[in-house]
Amino acid sequence: MDAATTATADNTAISHDAEPATGVGDLVRIRELGRGDGDVVDVVFAGLSPHSRYLRFQAPIAELSAATRRSLTALDGRTHVALAAFVQDCPIGIVRIMDLEDGRGELAVEVVDRWQGCAVGTRLLQAARNRAAELGYRELVGEMLVVNAAAYAAVRRAFPVTQVRRHGSELTMSMAVEGEPAAASPTQGLVA
C-alpha cells in the first residue's frame, strides 16, 4: 500500500490514505477530547461490533443510553479525561481515565473493529499512561473479560508493571504509571 504521510510537531504523522496498516504510527493522530466531542463517542461506538461492545462494556449493548452517553461525554480534563485516535479526522478509538482519588484512576479503551490488531489500542494506552503521569496519577486500574486477550496484550505493552487478579471470567488489572513500556507478553493461562 502506498500512503502519503505528513509529520506533525509531536512526531505523529497523519496519513492521506485511511486504510489500516501495520505501521499505524504513520497514520494515527491522538488528541484529548472535550465536552463538545460527543460525535466522536458516537462514531467509535458505531464502529464496534456486538462482540467488541460486549468485551468493552462486559454486557450486550446495542446502543448507548442517554445516561451512558452523558457519562462518557462529561469530560473535564482532570477527573474524567478521554483521548481519541483519528485517521484523516475519522475517530477510530478512545481511551479514558476516570479519577478514583488517592492517585488512582480507572482506565477503559475501545478501538473500532476495522482498526483492531493495528496497534491503535497500544498507542492509546501509551498516550493515556503519559497523560495520567502529567495529571499526577500513580496507578491506573481496569477490568476486562478473561477472553479479551488482545486488550490484555496491549496493556502489557503499554505498562511495564501490571498486577493481574482473576475473578471468575474477569481480570482486574492494576497498572503503575511510572516506568518504560513493557514488551508484549503471552496470555497463556489467562484465556479461558
Side-chain angles (χ1 to χ4, degrees), residues 122 125 144 148-159 173 182-187:
T122 300
L125 290 166
M144 70 177 65
N148 199 345
Y152 177 78
V155 166
R156 294 294 302 149
R157 284 189 293 274
F159 293 90
M173 304 183 82
S185 66
T187 59

Side-chain angles (χ1 to χ4, degrees), residues 56-71:
R56 164 58 177 92
F57 296 99
Q58 299 182 6
I61 297 179
E63 62 184 50
L64 290 175
S65 68
T68 299
R69 188 176 185 281
R70 271 192 307 277
S71 173

Side-chain angles (χ1 to χ4, degrees), residues 143-166:
E143 293 181 351
M144 70 177 65
L145 295 173
V146 171
V147 296
N148 199 345
Y152 177 78
V155 166
R156 294 294 302 149
R157 284 189 293 274
F159 293 90
V161 180
T162 304
Q163 294 179 343
V164 181
R165 292 184 312 268
R166 183 176 179 160

Side-chain angles (χ1 to χ4, degrees), residues 28-142:
V28 173
R29 171 177 68 85
I30 295 176
R31 74 166 172 85
E32 189 161 332
L33 298 179
R35 288 187 178 269
D37 286 317
D39 57 328
V40 174
V41 172
D42 296 336
V43 170
V44 170
F45 185 81
L48 299 174
S49 67
H51 180 70
S52 292
R53 291 175 185 174
Y54 176 75
L55 291 175
R56 164 58 177 92
F57 296 99
Q58 299 182 6
I61 297 179
E63 62 184 50
L64 290 175
S65 68
T68 299
R69 188 176 185 281
R70 271 192 307 277
S71 173
L72 293 175
T73 57
L75 304 168
D76 63 12
R78 173 66 186 123
T79 63
H80 187 178
V81 175
L83 306 168
F86 294 83
V87 170
Q88 290 188 330
D89 296 322
C90 181
I92 61 171
I94 299 173
V95 65
R96 60 186 68 248
I97 304 165
M98 292 147 291
D99 188 46
L100 296 174
E101 299 182 356
D102 297 326
R104 299 176 70 233
E106 182 178 350
L107 184 69
V109 64
E110 62 255 9
V111 175
V112 301
D113 283 56
R114 182 170 179 236
W115 285 89
Q116 291 176 12
C118 298
V120 174
T122 300
R123 289 274 314 277
L124 283 167
L125 290 166
Q126 289 168 337
R129 182 174 153 249
N130 293 340
R131 185 67 173 113
E134 290 171 5
L135 293 168
Y137 286 98
R138 293 176 287 100
E139 178 184 45
L140 298 175
V141 297

